[in-house]
Amino acid sequence: MLLGCKDEKKTDMPETTQAKTKSSIVKSDYATTKEGVKIEKYTLTNANGMKMEVITMGGDIISLTAPDKDGKFEDVVLGYTTPDLYLDGNPYFFGAIIGRYGNRIAKGKFTLDGKPYQLTVNDGPNSLHGGKGFDKRVWTATPVEGDAPALKLTYTAKDGEEGYPGKLNVTVTYVLSNDNALEISYEAESDKNTVVNLTQHSYFNLSGNFAESIESQELELKAGKYLPVDATLIPTGELKAVAGTPFDFTKAKAIGKDINVADDQLKKGLGYDHCWIFDDAANTLKSVGSLYHKASGRYMEVLTTEPAIQFYSGNFIDGTKDSKTGGKYQKRSGLCLETQHYPDSPNQPSFPITTLKAGEKYSTKTTYKFSVK
Ligand code: GLA
Protein backbone atom coordinates (compact mmCIF):
# COMPACT_ATOMS: atom_id res chain seq x y z
CA MET A 1 0.00 0.00 0.00
CA LEU A 2 1.34 3.40 -0.95
CA LEU A 3 0.78 5.64 2.04
CA GLY A 4 2.24 8.90 1.03
CA CYS A 5 4.38 10.48 -1.57
CA LYS A 6 5.53 13.96 -2.36
CA ASP A 7 5.60 15.41 -5.82
CA GLU A 8 8.90 16.41 -7.30
CA LYS A 9 9.02 20.17 -7.07
CA LYS A 10 9.79 20.54 -10.75
CA THR A 11 8.63 24.14 -11.01
CA ASP A 12 10.56 25.35 -7.94
CA MET A 13 13.84 23.54 -8.42
CA PRO A 14 16.59 24.12 -10.95
CA GLU A 15 17.17 21.20 -13.37
CA THR A 16 20.42 20.08 -11.67
CA THR A 17 18.99 19.70 -8.17
CA GLN A 18 15.73 18.11 -9.21
CA ALA A 19 14.81 15.07 -7.23
CA LYS A 20 15.27 11.84 -9.15
CA THR A 21 12.38 9.97 -7.57
CA LYS A 22 9.34 10.66 -5.51
CA SER A 23 9.69 10.08 -1.81
CA SER A 24 7.29 7.50 -0.45
CA ILE A 25 6.32 5.21 2.38
CA VAL A 26 4.94 1.82 1.51
CA LYS A 27 3.42 -0.49 4.09
CA SER A 28 3.44 -4.27 3.68
CA ASP A 29 2.91 -7.40 5.78
CA TYR A 30 6.21 -8.70 7.11
CA ALA A 31 5.55 -11.75 9.28
CA THR A 32 3.43 -13.10 12.13
CA THR A 33 4.82 -13.87 15.58
CA LYS A 34 4.26 -17.24 17.29
CA GLU A 35 1.60 -15.51 19.37
CA GLY A 36 -0.21 -14.53 16.17
CA VAL A 37 0.73 -10.84 16.18
CA LYS A 38 1.11 -9.36 12.70
CA ILE A 39 4.36 -7.49 12.13
CA GLU A 40 4.32 -4.78 9.46
CA LYS A 41 7.12 -3.50 7.31
CA TYR A 42 7.43 0.10 6.13
CA THR A 43 9.67 0.98 3.21
CA LEU A 44 10.75 4.61 3.20
CA THR A 45 12.30 6.06 0.04
CA ASN A 46 13.62 9.59 -0.10
CA ALA A 47 13.79 11.87 -3.14
CA ASN A 48 17.31 10.65 -4.01
CA GLY A 49 16.31 6.99 -3.99
CA MET A 50 17.78 6.17 -0.60
CA LYS A 51 15.71 3.40 0.96
CA MET A 52 15.10 2.20 4.50
CA GLU A 53 13.00 -0.75 5.68
CA VAL A 54 11.60 -0.72 9.21
CA ILE A 55 9.54 -3.38 10.95
CA THR A 56 7.18 -2.90 13.86
CA MET A 57 8.98 -5.56 15.92
CA GLY A 58 11.55 -3.57 17.90
CA GLY A 59 11.25 -0.67 15.45
CA ASP A 60 14.08 -2.57 13.76
CA ILE A 61 15.78 -0.97 10.78
CA ILE A 62 16.29 -4.07 8.62
CA SER A 63 17.93 -2.32 5.68
CA LEU A 64 19.23 1.13 4.77
CA THR A 65 20.83 1.96 1.45
CA ALA A 66 23.32 4.75 0.77
CA PRO A 67 25.03 5.79 -2.46
CA ASP A 68 28.78 5.39 -3.03
CA LYS A 69 30.93 7.90 -4.91
CA ASP A 70 29.61 6.51 -8.24
CA GLY A 71 26.02 6.83 -7.10
CA LYS A 72 25.64 3.10 -6.48
CA PHE A 73 23.19 2.35 -3.68
CA GLU A 74 24.05 -0.49 -1.33
CA ASP A 75 22.73 -1.66 2.01
CA VAL A 76 24.94 -0.35 4.82
CA VAL A 77 23.32 -1.98 7.87
CA LEU A 78 23.53 -5.59 8.98
CA GLY A 79 20.34 -7.60 9.24
CA TYR A 80 19.08 -11.16 9.30
CA THR A 81 18.06 -12.93 6.12
CA THR A 82 14.83 -14.34 7.58
CA PRO A 83 12.13 -12.80 9.82
CA ASP A 84 12.34 -15.47 12.54
CA LEU A 85 15.49 -14.02 14.13
CA TYR A 86 13.87 -10.58 14.40
CA LEU A 87 10.69 -12.10 15.79
CA ASP A 88 12.44 -14.50 18.10
CA GLY A 89 14.62 -12.34 20.30
CA ASN A 90 16.98 -10.54 17.86
CA PRO A 91 20.15 -11.98 19.44
CA TYR A 92 22.46 -9.21 18.18
CA PHE A 93 19.93 -6.37 18.61
CA PHE A 94 20.29 -5.71 14.85
CA GLY A 95 18.76 -2.32 13.95
CA ALA A 96 16.66 -2.15 17.11
CA ILE A 97 15.33 0.61 19.31
CA ILE A 98 16.92 0.09 22.72
CA GLY A 99 15.25 0.88 26.03
CA ARG A 100 14.05 1.44 28.67
CA TYR A 101 17.70 1.74 29.61
CA GLY A 102 20.28 1.29 26.88
CA ASN A 103 23.52 -0.35 27.96
CA ARG A 104 24.24 -1.90 31.34
CA ILE A 105 22.98 -1.39 34.86
CA ALA A 106 25.19 -3.16 37.39
CA LYS A 107 23.54 -6.27 38.87
CA GLY A 108 20.23 -4.93 37.51
CA LYS A 109 19.82 -2.93 40.72
CA PHE A 110 19.34 0.73 41.46
CA THR A 111 17.68 2.94 44.03
CA LEU A 112 15.38 5.81 43.13
CA ASP A 113 13.75 8.13 45.66
CA GLY A 114 15.03 5.82 48.39
CA LYS A 115 13.33 2.75 46.94
CA PRO A 116 15.36 -0.21 45.62
CA TYR A 117 14.49 -1.72 42.23
CA GLN A 118 15.52 -5.07 40.76
CA LEU A 119 15.59 -5.30 36.97
CA THR A 120 15.79 -8.39 34.80
CA VAL A 121 19.39 -9.61 34.72
CA ASN A 122 20.29 -10.81 31.21
CA ASP A 123 24.01 -10.16 30.68
CA GLY A 124 26.19 -12.03 33.17
CA PRO A 125 25.38 -10.37 36.49
CA ASN A 126 23.98 -7.22 34.84
CA SER A 127 20.90 -5.89 33.09
CA LEU A 128 21.58 -5.03 29.44
CA HIS A 129 19.39 -2.96 27.09
CA GLY A 130 16.33 -3.05 29.33
CA GLY A 131 16.05 -6.84 29.89
CA LYS A 132 13.24 -8.01 27.61
CA GLY A 133 13.55 -4.53 26.24
CA PHE A 134 12.00 -2.34 23.58
CA ASP A 135 13.80 -4.33 20.87
CA LYS A 136 11.58 -7.31 21.74
CA ARG A 137 8.29 -5.37 21.75
CA VAL A 138 5.82 -4.68 18.99
CA TRP A 139 5.52 -0.98 18.17
CA THR A 140 2.64 0.90 16.55
CA ALA A 141 3.70 2.67 13.38
CA THR A 142 2.17 5.77 11.80
CA PRO A 143 3.56 7.47 8.70
CA VAL A 144 4.07 11.22 9.16
CA GLU A 145 3.23 13.78 6.47
CA GLY A 146 6.09 15.99 5.38
CA ASP A 147 8.68 16.70 2.68
CA ALA A 148 10.60 13.54 3.47
CA PRO A 149 9.35 10.08 4.40
CA ALA A 150 8.94 9.73 8.15
CA LEU A 151 7.64 7.01 10.43
CA LYS A 152 6.44 7.50 13.98
CA LEU A 153 6.68 4.47 16.27
CA THR A 154 5.01 4.33 19.64
CA TYR A 155 5.19 1.85 22.50
CA THR A 156 3.87 1.95 26.05
CA ALA A 157 5.93 0.13 28.66
CA LYS A 158 3.93 -0.95 31.69
CA ASP A 159 4.62 0.23 35.22
CA GLY A 160 6.96 -2.45 36.60
CA GLU A 161 7.85 -3.90 33.18
CA GLU A 162 11.26 -5.59 33.48
CA GLY A 163 11.42 -4.09 36.99
CA TYR A 164 11.35 -0.41 36.02
CA PRO A 165 8.99 1.98 37.80
CA GLY A 166 6.41 4.00 35.85
CA LYS A 167 4.22 3.52 32.82
CA LEU A 168 6.32 4.97 30.03
CA ASN A 169 4.90 6.23 26.74
CA VAL A 170 7.66 6.21 24.13
CA THR A 171 7.71 7.73 20.66
CA VAL A 172 10.57 7.23 18.25
CA THR A 173 10.41 8.96 14.87
CA TYR A 174 12.60 8.05 11.91
CA VAL A 175 12.93 10.60 9.09
CA LEU A 176 14.81 9.77 5.91
CA SER A 177 15.60 13.31 4.87
CA ASN A 178 16.15 14.45 1.31
CA ASP A 179 19.76 15.30 2.17
CA ASN A 180 20.34 11.61 2.90
CA ALA A 181 20.20 11.74 6.67
CA LEU A 182 18.48 9.31 8.98
CA GLU A 183 17.11 11.60 11.66
CA ILE A 184 15.89 9.92 14.83
CA SER A 185 13.98 11.60 17.60
CA TYR A 186 13.22 9.90 20.87
CA GLU A 187 10.48 11.11 23.19
CA ALA A 188 9.13 9.64 26.39
CA GLU A 189 6.96 10.47 29.35
CA SER A 190 6.34 8.50 32.53
CA ASP A 191 3.61 8.64 35.18
CA LYS A 192 6.18 7.93 37.94
CA ASN A 193 9.81 8.88 38.41
CA THR A 194 11.91 6.41 36.43
CA VAL A 195 15.21 6.05 34.55
CA VAL A 196 15.45 6.25 30.75
CA ASN A 197 18.29 5.92 28.25
CA LEU A 198 17.12 5.30 24.68
CA THR A 199 19.30 4.52 21.70
CA GLN A 200 19.46 2.74 18.33
CA HIS A 201 21.41 -0.44 17.69
CA SER A 202 22.05 -0.45 13.93
CA TYR A 203 25.29 -2.11 12.87
CA PHE A 204 26.91 -0.10 10.11
CA ASN A 205 29.30 -1.34 7.46
CA LEU A 206 29.73 1.38 4.85
CA SER A 207 31.39 -0.98 2.36
CA GLY A 208 28.01 -2.54 1.50
CA ASN A 209 29.78 -5.90 1.61
CA PHE A 210 29.36 -7.52 4.98
CA ALA A 211 32.11 -10.02 4.30
CA GLU A 212 34.48 -7.06 4.54
CA SER A 213 35.54 -6.30 8.11
CA ILE A 214 34.85 -2.82 9.46
CA GLU A 215 38.49 -2.62 10.62
CA SER A 216 39.58 -0.60 7.59
CA GLN A 217 36.83 2.00 8.07
CA GLU A 218 37.93 5.23 9.67
CA LEU A 219 36.23 6.46 12.79
CA GLU A 220 36.39 9.90 14.31
CA LEU A 221 34.94 10.66 17.76
CA LYS A 222 35.06 14.16 19.17
CA ALA A 223 35.71 12.73 22.57
CA GLY A 224 38.81 13.28 24.67
CA LYS A 225 37.63 10.87 27.37
CA TYR A 226 36.09 7.44 27.69
CA LEU A 227 34.80 5.20 30.46
CA PRO A 228 37.04 2.27 31.38
CA VAL A 229 35.05 -0.80 32.44
CA ASP A 230 35.34 -3.73 34.82
CA ALA A 231 35.33 -7.39 33.73
CA THR A 232 31.52 -7.29 33.29
CA LEU A 233 31.67 -4.10 31.16
CA ILE A 234 30.32 -1.81 33.89
CA PRO A 235 32.13 1.56 33.99
CA THR A 236 34.53 1.86 36.90
CA GLY A 237 33.52 5.50 37.37
CA GLU A 238 36.78 6.88 36.05
CA LEU A 239 36.75 9.26 33.05
CA LYS A 240 40.00 8.43 31.31
CA ALA A 241 41.80 10.61 28.77
CA VAL A 242 42.06 8.85 25.39
CA ALA A 243 45.35 10.60 24.53
CA GLY A 244 48.13 8.05 24.08
CA THR A 245 45.72 5.07 24.25
CA PRO A 246 44.08 2.87 21.56
CA PHE A 247 40.86 4.74 22.44
CA ASP A 248 41.99 7.96 20.76
CA PHE A 249 39.72 8.62 17.77
CA THR A 250 39.94 12.40 18.07
CA LYS A 251 41.55 12.29 14.62
CA ALA A 252 39.95 9.88 12.14
CA LYS A 253 41.69 6.51 12.47
CA ALA A 254 41.15 3.04 11.00
CA ILE A 255 39.27 0.99 13.56
CA GLY A 256 41.70 -1.89 13.11
CA LYS A 257 44.78 0.25 13.68
CA ASP A 258 45.03 -0.30 17.44
CA ILE A 259 42.30 -2.87 18.05
CA ASN A 260 44.75 -5.70 18.68
CA VAL A 261 47.17 -3.70 20.83
CA ALA A 262 47.86 -5.32 24.21
CA ASP A 263 45.59 -3.23 26.39
CA ASP A 264 43.62 -4.30 29.43
CA GLN A 265 40.49 -2.40 28.34
CA LEU A 266 40.51 -3.85 24.82
CA LYS A 267 40.95 -7.26 26.39
CA LYS A 268 37.91 -6.73 28.63
CA GLY A 269 35.74 -5.58 25.71
CA LEU A 270 37.17 -8.15 23.25
CA GLY A 271 37.77 -5.02 21.20
CA TYR A 272 35.96 -1.69 21.47
CA ASP A 273 32.78 -1.86 23.56
CA HIS A 274 33.05 1.33 25.56
CA CYS A 275 31.38 4.65 26.12
CA TRP A 276 33.11 7.81 24.87
CA ILE A 277 32.29 11.19 26.40
CA PHE A 278 31.90 14.05 23.95
CA ASP A 279 33.99 17.16 24.54
CA ASP A 280 30.90 19.24 23.81
CA ALA A 281 28.35 18.24 26.43
CA ALA A 282 25.71 20.68 25.16
CA ASN A 283 22.21 19.31 24.88
CA THR A 284 21.98 20.57 21.27
CA LEU A 285 22.31 18.66 18.02
CA LYS A 286 26.06 18.77 17.42
CA SER A 287 28.45 16.89 15.16
CA VAL A 288 30.20 14.29 17.31
CA GLY A 289 32.02 12.09 14.86
CA SER A 290 32.07 10.24 11.58
CA LEU A 291 32.70 6.94 9.85
CA TYR A 292 34.40 6.70 6.45
CA HIS A 293 34.96 3.89 3.96
CA LYS A 294 37.60 5.05 1.54
CA ALA A 295 37.08 2.57 -1.30
CA SER A 296 33.38 3.38 -1.73
CA GLY A 297 33.75 7.00 -0.59
CA ARG A 298 30.79 6.56 1.77
CA TYR A 299 30.96 8.94 4.71
CA MET A 300 28.57 9.01 7.65
CA GLU A 301 28.49 11.92 10.04
CA VAL A 302 26.93 11.43 13.48
CA LEU A 303 25.12 14.27 15.21
CA THR A 304 23.40 14.05 18.56
CA THR A 305 22.00 15.91 21.53
CA GLU A 306 23.35 13.12 23.79
CA PRO A 307 26.53 13.49 25.87
CA ALA A 308 28.10 10.11 25.00
CA ILE A 309 28.31 7.21 22.59
CA GLN A 310 28.85 3.47 22.94
CA PHE A 311 31.14 2.39 20.13
CA TYR A 312 30.83 -1.38 19.83
CA SER A 313 33.03 -3.05 17.23
CA GLY A 314 30.81 -6.12 16.76
CA ASN A 315 32.95 -8.30 19.01
CA PHE A 316 30.24 -10.80 19.95
CA ILE A 317 29.14 -11.63 16.40
CA ASP A 318 29.91 -15.32 16.34
CA GLY A 319 29.77 -16.55 12.76
CA THR A 320 26.47 -18.41 13.16
CA LYS A 321 24.02 -16.12 11.35
CA ASP A 322 23.59 -15.77 7.60
CA SER A 323 24.63 -12.47 6.08
CA LYS A 324 22.52 -10.48 3.61
CA THR A 325 25.55 -10.32 1.31
CA GLY A 326 26.43 -14.04 1.53
CA GLY A 327 28.27 -16.23 4.02
CA LYS A 328 27.90 -15.67 7.75
CA TYR A 329 28.31 -12.55 9.84
CA GLN A 330 31.64 -12.59 11.62
CA LYS A 331 33.20 -10.67 14.48
CA ARG A 332 33.72 -7.09 13.12
CA SER A 333 31.24 -7.46 10.21
CA GLY A 334 29.55 -4.33 11.53
CA LEU A 335 29.82 -1.69 14.25
CA CYS A 336 27.37 0.20 16.41
CA LEU A 337 27.48 3.89 17.25
CA GLU A 338 24.94 4.07 20.04
CA THR A 339 24.43 7.67 21.15
CA GLN A 340 23.30 7.73 24.77
CA HIS A 341 23.83 8.73 28.37
CA TYR A 342 26.51 6.89 30.31
CA PRO A 343 25.96 3.22 31.22
CA ASP A 344 25.02 2.46 34.84
CA SER A 345 24.24 6.12 35.58
CA PRO A 346 21.51 5.23 38.13
CA ASN A 347 24.32 3.78 40.30
CA GLN A 348 26.99 6.36 39.57
CA PRO A 349 26.23 9.73 41.16
CA SER A 350 29.14 11.43 39.33
CA PHE A 351 27.55 10.66 35.91
CA PRO A 352 24.94 12.93 34.27
CA ILE A 353 21.53 12.04 35.62
CA THR A 354 19.20 9.68 33.72
CA THR A 355 16.16 10.08 35.95
CA LEU A 356 12.98 11.08 34.16
CA LYS A 357 10.59 12.68 36.59
CA ALA A 358 6.87 11.93 36.41
CA GLY A 359 5.18 14.13 33.82
CA GLU A 360 8.45 15.55 32.44
CA LYS A 361 9.37 15.11 28.81
CA TYR A 362 12.37 13.06 27.68
CA SER A 363 13.55 14.26 24.30
CA THR A 364 16.76 13.49 22.42
CA LYS A 365 17.81 13.51 18.78
CA THR A 366 20.44 11.68 16.76
CA THR A 367 21.22 11.98 13.06
CA TYR A 368 23.30 9.69 10.83
CA LYS A 369 24.04 11.73 7.71
CA PHE A 370 25.34 10.01 4.60
CA SER A 371 27.48 11.61 1.89
CA VAL A 372 30.61 10.76 -0.12
CA LYS A 373 34.13 12.12 -0.13
C1 GLA B 1 25.93 -3.35 23.16
C2 GLA B 1 26.82 -3.81 24.23
C3 GLA B 1 27.63 -4.94 23.76
C4 GLA B 1 26.78 -6.05 23.21
C5 GLA B 1 25.88 -5.51 22.14
C6 GLA B 1 24.94 -6.56 21.65
O1 GLA B 1 26.58 -2.63 22.21
O2 GLA B 1 27.63 -2.78 24.74
O3 GLA B 1 28.42 -5.42 24.79
O4 GLA B 1 26.01 -6.60 24.25
O5 GLA B 1 25.17 -4.42 22.63
O6 GLA B 1 25.56 -7.74 21.30
Side-chain angles (χ1 to χ4, degrees), residues 43-113:
T43 305
L44 288 70
T45 308
N46 77 1
N48 307 313
M50 194 173 167
K51 218 181 261 285
M52 174 166 86
E53 292 177 301
V54 178
I55 57 170
T56 49
M57 174 61 84
D60 299 336
I61 296 172
I62 65 167
S63 76
L64 174 66
T65 69
D68 70 2
K69 58 188 174 202
D70 302 319
K72 184 177 172 205
F73 284 88
E74 280 175 309
D75 197 352
V76 294
V77 294
L78 273 51
Y80 307 112
T81 55
T82 52
D84 53 313
L85 287 166
Y86 286 111
L87 268 47
D88 221 4
N90 191 350
Y92 297 141
F93 302 92
F94 274 172
I97 298 170
I98 301 293
R100 174 176 316 205
Y101 198 97
N103 219 314
R104 293 172 178 79
I105 294 185
K107 311 221 160 44
K109 287 184 198 302
F110 68 97
T111 302
L112 185 63
D113 303 326

Side-chain angles (χ1 to χ4, degrees), residues 91-93 103-104 123 128-129 201 203 233 273 310 312 316 336 338:
Y92 297 141
F93 302 92
N103 219 314
R104 293 172 178 79
D123 186 62
L128 173 70
H129 296 335
H201 213 290
Y203 286 67
L233 301 185
D273 192 357
Q310 182 85 5
Y312 167 58
F316 298 122
C336 299
E338 305 160 57

